[in-house]
Structures are given as C-alpha cells and as structure tokens.
Amino acid sequence: IIRKLMNNDNGIFTLDQLKLWTKDANMQIPSVTCRIDDEYFYQNTEVRVSTTKDLYDLIEARLSNASNTENVYFDVQHYGNGLEITDEVVKLITDYEKAHNVDVVVTFNNQDHVGTPVIFQTNAIDMFEYNGVNVVVEVPQTITSEVYGLYELRNFSTITVAGVKNQYNAVLQAVTTINEAGATFTANYAEIYGEIHNEGTAELNATIAQGNIRN
C-alpha cells in the first residue's frame, strides 16, 4: 500500500501504469522502487505474540523507530498458553509516553473468545484496550478509568473499580466476571456491565450494575 503523504507527489502511481509481465521477449518486467523513512511512512502495527518477551521486543523495536511526536498504536493478536503482562512491559510503555508526551495504545484482540488469556502480573489492567479478550488477574488491580471489551474476566486476587464520588468515571465492561473463591471484587461509584459470578467477596457501593450478579 502506497499512500500520498506530506504532499509528496513522487509517491504516487496507479495500477494501470503497471502491466502484467509475460514471456514476450519484447516486454520488460515492470518494477517500482519504494523509499521508506519515518517522515513519510504510515504504520498501523499488527503483531502476533506468544510470550511476554515477544511482546516486549516488538514494542521496544517499534518505539525505537517511532517519530516521537505522534501516538503509537499496536494491534496485538496473542496465542499460546497465556500472555503475561509484567512490570517491565508497563515500564517500557510509560517511560516512552512520559519522555515524548504521547500515548502508546496497545489493543489486545481475540474475537473468537477462546484460548490464550492476557494474564496480569502487575497493576495495569486499565492501561490497555481490549476486543473480545479473556483476562486473568493474579495480582491486585485498581481501575480508575474505563475498561471495555473483555469477554471473560477471571479474578484470583483483588479488583477495585474506584470512581470519584457522584461522577461514576470508573467503568468495567465484561460479558462475564468470575470472582474466584478467596478473591475480592469491590466497586465504589462505578459502572459495571455484564454478569458477575461471585464465589469470593463482592462489594458494590453506590455503583450502577447492569447485568446479573450470582452468589
């Protein structure tokens, strides 16, 4: 895909200017030379990863070549036994955001709703975006913004959805939230969407809940 960017007319040609090559001795093989650099190249990065190291290495490589003045987007298709989100991954992203005053937006995609979950080993569930993803929480999480697009959220630790009083600015939306035995789910001045299966401790204070809650 070649795009016209920065009024660079040299980057434009149409497909009808290229002819299909045949074994005709009088016909030359059509060719085109593409020059790519950070100024004129638009990239919407889609990556497939199976391990935390895959994710870290790919994000690091992309950020090291980013323009430093625009937001950076990643569309992550994850597979394997489970993709762990660690302190190192979070620090890589937040350090870049602070250094360049831009956003690094990582979206996890799993529209089949099966297989590999995203496993949080650090408090960062509301740092990412989701599209039909299974999420497992193994360390305490605090949600102070909006988390949408989860298919199944399985909590083995503590989840706190903490909104500001009377503002309801903290949102959690999952088709199903499973609060395992021994786990704690707390919502204060929040909005909760989807069904909650509670086998541990669930406490909803001044919270709007749309969906079934099963103890």
Side-chain angles (χ1 to χ4, degrees), residues 110-151:
N110 184 2
Q111 297 184 43
D112 294 331
H113 316 310
V114 294
T116 307
V118 175
I119 304 169
F120 279 91
Q121 299 283 0
T122 186
N123 180 17
I125 191 172
D126 58 1
M127 261 187 61
F128 301 92
E129 297 187 2
Y130 309 90
N131 184 12
V133 176
N134 296 334
V135 168
V136 173
V137 167
E138 294 189 345
V139 299
Q141 304 290 314
T142 300
I143 298 171
T144 58
S145 55
E146 298 179 346
V147 175
Y148 286 99
L150 304 185
Y151 186 72

Short mmCIF file of all heavy atoms in Angstrom, two decimals, residues 110-151:
data_model
loop_
_atom_site.label_atom_id
_atom_site.label_comp_id
_atom_site.label_asym_id
_atom_site.label_seq_id
_atom_site.Cartn_x
_atom_site.Cartn_y
_atom_site.Cartn_z
N ASN A 110 -8.98 -10.78 20.45
CA ASN A 110 -9.27 -12.22 20.39
C ASN A 110 -10.77 -12.36 20.20
O ASN A 110 -11.52 -12.65 21.13
CB ASN A 110 -8.82 -12.93 21.66
CG ASN A 110 -9.03 -14.44 21.57
OD1 ASN A 110 -9.48 -14.95 20.55
ND2 ASN A 110 -8.75 -15.14 22.65
N GLN A 111 -11.21 -12.16 18.97
CA GLN A 111 -12.64 -12.12 18.73
C GLN A 111 -13.29 -13.50 18.77
O GLN A 111 -14.52 -13.61 18.76
CB GLN A 111 -12.91 -11.42 17.39
CG GLN A 111 -12.46 -9.97 17.41
CD GLN A 111 -12.81 -9.23 16.14
OE1 GLN A 111 -13.90 -9.36 15.60
NE2 GLN A 111 -11.86 -8.46 15.64
N ASP A 112 -12.48 -14.57 18.83
CA ASP A 112 -13.05 -15.91 18.97
C ASP A 112 -13.37 -16.22 20.43
O ASP A 112 -14.04 -17.23 20.73
CB ASP A 112 -12.07 -16.96 18.45
CG ASP A 112 -11.86 -16.85 16.95
OD1 ASP A 112 -12.79 -16.38 16.27
OD2 ASP A 112 -10.76 -17.19 16.48
N HIS A 113 -12.91 -15.39 21.35
CA HIS A 113 -13.20 -15.52 22.79
C HIS A 113 -12.68 -16.82 23.40
O HIS A 113 -13.17 -17.26 24.43
CB HIS A 113 -14.72 -15.44 23.07
CG HIS A 113 -15.43 -14.36 22.33
ND1 HIS A 113 -14.99 -13.06 22.32
CD2 HIS A 113 -16.55 -14.39 21.57
CE1 HIS A 113 -15.83 -12.33 21.60
NE2 HIS A 113 -16.76 -13.11 21.12
N VAL A 114 -11.71 -17.44 22.78
CA VAL A 114 -11.20 -18.70 23.31
C VAL A 114 -9.68 -18.65 23.38
O VAL A 114 -9.04 -17.79 22.81
CB VAL A 114 -11.64 -19.91 22.44
CG1 VAL A 114 -13.14 -20.09 22.49
CG2 VAL A 114 -11.15 -19.75 21.01
N GLY A 115 -9.13 -19.63 24.08
CA GLY A 115 -7.68 -19.77 24.07
C GLY A 115 -6.98 -18.83 25.02
O GLY A 115 -7.40 -18.61 26.14
N THR A 116 -5.93 -18.24 24.53
CA THR A 116 -4.97 -17.51 25.34
C THR A 116 -5.57 -16.34 26.09
O THR A 116 -6.12 -15.43 25.48
CB THR A 116 -3.85 -16.97 24.43
OG1 THR A 116 -3.31 -18.03 23.68
CG2 THR A 116 -2.74 -16.34 25.27
N PRO A 117 -5.45 -16.32 27.41
CA PRO A 117 -5.84 -15.12 28.15
C PRO A 117 -4.68 -14.14 28.26
O PRO A 117 -3.51 -14.50 28.06
CB PRO A 117 -6.21 -15.67 29.53
CG PRO A 117 -5.29 -16.83 29.71
CD PRO A 117 -5.11 -17.43 28.32
N VAL A 118 -4.99 -12.89 28.56
CA VAL A 118 -3.99 -11.91 28.98
C VAL A 118 -3.95 -11.98 30.51
O VAL A 118 -4.97 -11.81 31.17
CB VAL A 118 -4.35 -10.51 28.50
CG1 VAL A 118 -3.37 -9.48 29.04
CG2 VAL A 118 -4.39 -10.45 26.97
N ILE A 119 -2.77 -12.26 31.06
CA ILE A 119 -2.61 -12.51 32.50
C ILE A 119 -1.87 -11.34 33.12
O ILE A 119 -0.72 -11.05 32.76
CB ILE A 119 -1.84 -13.82 32.75
CG1 ILE A 119 -2.54 -14.99 32.05
CG2 ILE A 119 -1.69 -14.09 34.24
CD1 ILE A 119 -1.72 -16.27 32.03
N PHE A 120 -2.50 -10.67 34.08
CA PHE A 120 -1.88 -9.51 34.68
C PHE A 120 -1.10 -9.89 35.92
O PHE A 120 -1.65 -10.36 36.92
CB PHE A 120 -2.93 -8.43 35.00
CG PHE A 120 -3.29 -7.63 33.78
CD1 PHE A 120 -4.35 -8.03 32.96
CD2 PHE A 120 -2.55 -6.52 33.43
CE1 PHE A 120 -4.66 -7.31 31.82
CE2 PHE A 120 -2.85 -5.80 32.28
CZ PHE A 120 -3.90 -6.19 31.48
N GLN A 121 0.23 -9.65 35.81
CA GLN A 121 1.16 -9.85 36.92
C GLN A 121 1.59 -8.50 37.50
O GLN A 121 2.51 -8.43 38.31
CB GLN A 121 2.40 -10.61 36.45
CG GLN A 121 2.11 -11.98 35.91
CD GLN A 121 1.85 -13.00 37.00
OE1 GLN A 121 1.89 -12.68 38.18
NE2 GLN A 121 1.58 -14.24 36.62
N THR A 122 0.93 -7.44 37.06
CA THR A 122 1.19 -6.10 37.55
C THR A 122 -0.11 -5.31 37.46
O THR A 122 -1.03 -5.69 36.72
CB THR A 122 2.30 -5.41 36.71
OG1 THR A 122 2.62 -4.15 37.30
CG2 THR A 122 1.87 -5.21 35.28
N ASN A 123 -0.21 -4.23 38.23
CA ASN A 123 -1.43 -3.44 38.30
C ASN A 123 -1.52 -2.52 37.09
O ASN A 123 -1.03 -1.39 37.12
CB ASN A 123 -1.45 -2.64 39.60
CG ASN A 123 -2.71 -1.79 39.73
OD1 ASN A 123 -3.70 -2.02 39.04
ND2 ASN A 123 -2.67 -0.80 40.62
N ALA A 124 -2.14 -3.01 36.00
CA ALA A 124 -2.15 -2.22 34.77
C ALA A 124 -3.33 -2.55 33.87
O ALA A 124 -3.29 -2.25 32.67
CB ALA A 124 -0.85 -2.43 34.00
N ILE A 125 -4.39 -3.12 34.42
CA ILE A 125 -5.48 -3.58 33.56
C ILE A 125 -6.14 -2.44 32.79
O ILE A 125 -6.62 -2.63 31.67
CB ILE A 125 -6.53 -4.36 34.39
CG1 ILE A 125 -7.51 -5.08 33.46
CG2 ILE A 125 -7.24 -3.45 35.38
CD1 ILE A 125 -8.45 -6.02 34.19
N ASP A 126 -6.14 -1.22 33.35
CA ASP A 126 -6.79 -0.12 32.65
C ASP A 126 -5.82 0.68 31.77
O ASP A 126 -6.15 1.76 31.28
CB ASP A 126 -7.53 0.81 33.62
CG ASP A 126 -6.65 1.40 34.69
OD1 ASP A 126 -5.44 1.11 34.70
OD2 ASP A 126 -7.18 2.16 35.54
N MET A 127 -4.61 0.14 31.55
CA MET A 127 -3.65 0.76 30.63
C MET A 127 -3.87 0.35 29.18
O MET A 127 -3.35 0.97 28.27
CB MET A 127 -2.22 0.35 31.01
CG MET A 127 -1.46 1.35 31.82
SD MET A 127 0.26 0.81 32.00
CE MET A 127 0.80 0.78 30.28
N PHE A 128 -4.64 -0.73 28.98
CA PHE A 128 -4.74 -1.34 27.66
C PHE A 128 -6.18 -1.30 27.15
O PHE A 128 -7.11 -1.04 27.91
CB PHE A 128 -4.24 -2.78 27.72
CG PHE A 128 -2.81 -2.90 28.18
CD1 PHE A 128 -2.50 -3.08 29.51
CD2 PHE A 128 -1.77 -2.82 27.26
CE1 PHE A 128 -1.19 -3.18 29.95
CE2 PHE A 128 -0.45 -2.92 27.68
CZ PHE A 128 -0.16 -3.10 29.02
N GLU A 129 -6.33 -1.60 25.86
CA GLU A 129 -7.65 -1.74 25.26
C GLU A 129 -7.85 -3.19 24.84
O GLU A 129 -6.89 -3.92 24.60
CB GLU A 129 -7.80 -0.79 24.07
CG GLU A 129 -7.71 0.67 24.49
CD GLU A 129 -8.02 1.64 23.36
OE1 GLU A 129 -8.34 1.18 22.23
OE2 GLU A 129 -7.94 2.85 23.60
N TYR A 130 -9.15 -3.59 24.73
CA TYR A 130 -9.46 -5.00 24.53
C TYR A 130 -10.59 -5.15 23.51
O TYR A 130 -11.48 -4.31 23.41
CB TYR A 130 -9.90 -5.64 25.86
CG TYR A 130 -8.94 -5.39 27.00
CD1 TYR A 130 -9.09 -4.27 27.82
CD2 TYR A 130 -7.88 -6.25 27.25
CE1 TYR A 130 -8.21 -4.02 28.86
CE2 TYR A 130 -7.00 -6.01 28.29
CZ TYR A 130 -7.17 -4.89 29.09
OH TYR A 130 -6.29 -4.65 30.12
N ASN A 131 -10.53 -6.28 22.82
CA ASN A 131 -11.59 -6.62 21.87
C ASN A 131 -11.86 -8.12 21.96
O ASN A 131 -11.19 -8.92 21.32
CB ASN A 131 -11.18 -6.21 20.46
CG ASN A 131 -12.27 -6.45 19.44
OD1 ASN A 131 -13.43 -6.72 19.79
ND2 ASN A 131 -11.93 -6.36 18.17
N GLY A 132 -12.83 -8.50 22.80
CA GLY A 132 -13.21 -9.90 22.93
C GLY A 132 -12.19 -10.76 23.62
O GLY A 132 -12.01 -11.93 23.27
N VAL A 133 -11.51 -10.22 24.62
CA VAL A 133 -10.35 -10.88 25.23
C VAL A 133 -10.69 -11.51 26.58
O VAL A 133 -11.45 -10.94 27.36
CB VAL A 133 -9.20 -9.86 25.41
CG1 VAL A 133 -8.00 -10.48 26.11
CG2 VAL A 133 -8.79 -9.31 24.04
N ASN A 134 -10.11 -12.68 26.85
CA ASN A 134 -10.16 -13.26 28.20
C ASN A 134 -9.00 -12.70 29.01
O ASN A 134 -7.86 -12.68 28.55
CB ASN A 134 -10.05 -14.79 28.13
CG ASN A 134 -11.21 -15.42 27.41
OD1 ASN A 134 -12.31 -14.88 27.36
ND2 ASN A 134 -10.98 -16.58 26.82
N VAL A 135 -9.30 -12.26 30.23
CA VAL A 135 -8.29 -11.66 31.10
C VAL A 135 -8.27 -12.39 32.42
O VAL A 135 -9.33 -12.70 32.99
CB VAL A 135 -8.56 -10.16 31.32
CG1 VAL A 135 -7.69 -9.59 32.44
CG2 VAL A 135 -8.32 -9.38 30.03
N VAL A 136 -7.06 -12.66 32.93
CA VAL A 136 -6.88 -13.28 34.24
C VAL A 136 -6.11 -12.31 35.13
O VAL A 136 -5.08 -11.76 34.71
CB VAL A 136 -6.11 -14.61 34.12
CG1 VAL A 136 -5.76 -15.16 35.50
CG2 VAL A 136 -6.93 -15.63 33.32
N VAL A 137 -6.61 -12.10 36.34
CA VAL A 137 -5.97 -11.20 37.30
C VAL A 137 -5.34 -12.04 38.40
O VAL A 137 -6.02 -12.79 39.09
CB VAL A 137 -7.00 -10.22 37.90
CG1 VAL A 137 -6.43 -9.50 39.11
CG2 VAL A 137 -7.43 -9.21 36.83
N GLU A 138 -4.00 -11.89 38.56
CA GLU A 138 -3.28 -12.66 39.58
C GLU A 138 -2.67 -11.77 40.66
O GLU A 138 -2.17 -12.28 41.66
CB GLU A 138 -2.20 -13.52 38.93
CG GLU A 138 -2.79 -14.61 38.03
CD GLU A 138 -1.77 -15.61 37.54
OE1 GLU A 138 -0.56 -15.33 37.64
OE2 GLU A 138 -2.19 -16.69 37.05
N VAL A 139 -2.68 -10.45 40.45
CA VAL A 139 -2.23 -9.50 41.48
C VAL A 139 -3.27 -8.39 41.56
O VAL A 139 -4.04 -8.18 40.61
CB VAL A 139 -0.83 -8.92 41.15
CG1 VAL A 139 0.22 -10.01 41.09
CG2 VAL A 139 -0.86 -8.11 39.88
N PRO A 140 -3.34 -7.66 42.67
CA PRO A 140 -4.37 -6.63 42.84
C PRO A 140 -4.38 -5.60 41.71
O PRO A 140 -3.33 -5.14 41.26
CB PRO A 140 -4.00 -5.98 44.19
CG PRO A 140 -3.32 -7.07 44.94
CD PRO A 140 -2.52 -7.82 43.91
N GLN A 141 -5.60 -5.27 41.27
CA GLN A 141 -5.81 -4.28 40.21
C GLN A 141 -6.72 -3.17 40.70
O GLN A 141 -7.72 -3.44 41.39
CB GLN A 141 -6.45 -4.93 38.99
CG GLN A 141 -5.70 -6.11 38.41
CD GLN A 141 -4.42 -5.72 37.75
OE1 GLN A 141 -4.36 -4.77 36.97
NE2 GLN A 141 -3.36 -6.47 38.03
N THR A 142 -6.40 -1.94 40.31
CA THR A 142 -7.27 -0.80 40.60
C THR A 142 -7.65 -0.15 39.28
O THR A 142 -6.77 0.27 38.52
CB THR A 142 -6.58 0.22 41.51
OG1 THR A 142 -6.23 -0.41 42.74
CG2 THR A 142 -7.51 1.40 41.81
N ILE A 143 -8.94 -0.07 39.02
CA ILE A 143 -9.44 0.53 37.79
C ILE A 143 -10.00 1.91 38.13
O ILE A 143 -10.98 2.03 38.86
CB ILE A 143 -10.53 -0.34 37.14
CG1 ILE A 143 -9.95 -1.70 36.77
CG2 ILE A 143 -11.14 0.34 35.92
CD1 ILE A 143 -11.00 -2.71 36.32
N THR A 144 -9.37 2.95 37.61
CA THR A 144 -9.82 4.32 37.88
C THR A 144 -10.31 5.02 36.62
O THR A 144 -10.68 6.19 36.67
CB THR A 144 -8.68 5.15 38.51
OG1 THR A 144 -7.56 5.14 37.62
CG2 THR A 144 -8.27 4.57 39.85
N SER A 145 -10.29 4.31 35.48
CA SER A 145 -10.76 4.90 34.23
C SER A 145 -11.80 3.96 33.61
O SER A 145 -12.72 3.53 34.30
CB SER A 145 -9.58 5.16 33.29
OG SER A 145 -8.82 3.99 33.08
N GLU A 146 -11.64 3.60 32.35
CA GLU A 146 -12.63 2.77 31.67
C GLU A 146 -11.96 1.55 31.07
O GLU A 146 -10.94 1.65 30.39
CB GLU A 146 -13.33 3.57 30.56
CG GLU A 146 -14.11 4.77 31.09
CD GLU A 146 -14.77 5.56 29.97
OE1 GLU A 146 -14.41 5.32 28.79
OE2 GLU A 146 -15.64 6.39 30.27
N VAL A 147 -12.55 0.39 31.31
CA VAL A 147 -12.08 -0.86 30.73
C VAL A 147 -13.26 -1.51 30.00
O VAL A 147 -14.25 -1.90 30.63
CB VAL A 147 -11.53 -1.82 31.80
CG1 VAL A 147 -11.17 -3.17 31.18
CG2 VAL A 147 -10.31 -1.21 32.49
N TYR A 148 -13.17 -1.60 28.68
CA TYR A 148 -14.22 -2.16 27.85
C TYR A 148 -13.67 -3.34 27.05
O TYR A 148 -12.47 -3.52 26.91
CB TYR A 148 -14.74 -1.11 26.84
CG TYR A 148 -15.60 -0.03 27.44
CD1 TYR A 148 -15.07 1.22 27.74
CD2 TYR A 148 -16.96 -0.26 27.70
CE1 TYR A 148 -15.86 2.22 28.29
CE2 TYR A 148 -17.76 0.73 28.23
CZ TYR A 148 -17.21 1.97 28.52
OH TYR A 148 -18.00 2.96 29.06
N GLY A 149 -14.60 -4.13 26.50
CA GLY A 149 -14.23 -5.14 25.50
C GLY A 149 -13.74 -6.46 26.03
O GLY A 149 -13.24 -7.29 25.28
N LEU A 150 -13.88 -6.71 27.35
CA LEU A 150 -13.48 -8.00 27.90
C LEU A 150 -14.57 -9.03 27.64
O LEU A 150 -15.77 -8.73 27.72
CB LEU A 150 -13.21 -7.91 29.40
CG LEU A 150 -12.19 -6.89 29.87
CD1 LEU A 150 -11.98 -7.02 31.36
CD2 LEU A 150 -10.88 -7.04 29.13
N TYR A 151 -14.16 -10.24 27.34
CA TYR A 151 -15.13 -11.32 27.21
C TYR A 151 -15.30 -12.01 28.56
O TYR A 151 -16.38 -11.98 29.14
CB TYR A 151 -14.70 -12.32 26.14
CG TYR A 151 -15.75 -13.37 25.88
CD1 TYR A 151 -16.92 -13.04 25.20
CD2 TYR A 151 -15.59 -14.69 26.31
CE1 TYR A 151 -17.90 -13.99 24.97
CE2 TYR A 151 -16.57 -15.65 26.08
CZ TYR A 151 -17.72 -15.30 25.41
OH TYR A 151 -18.69 -16.24 25.19
#
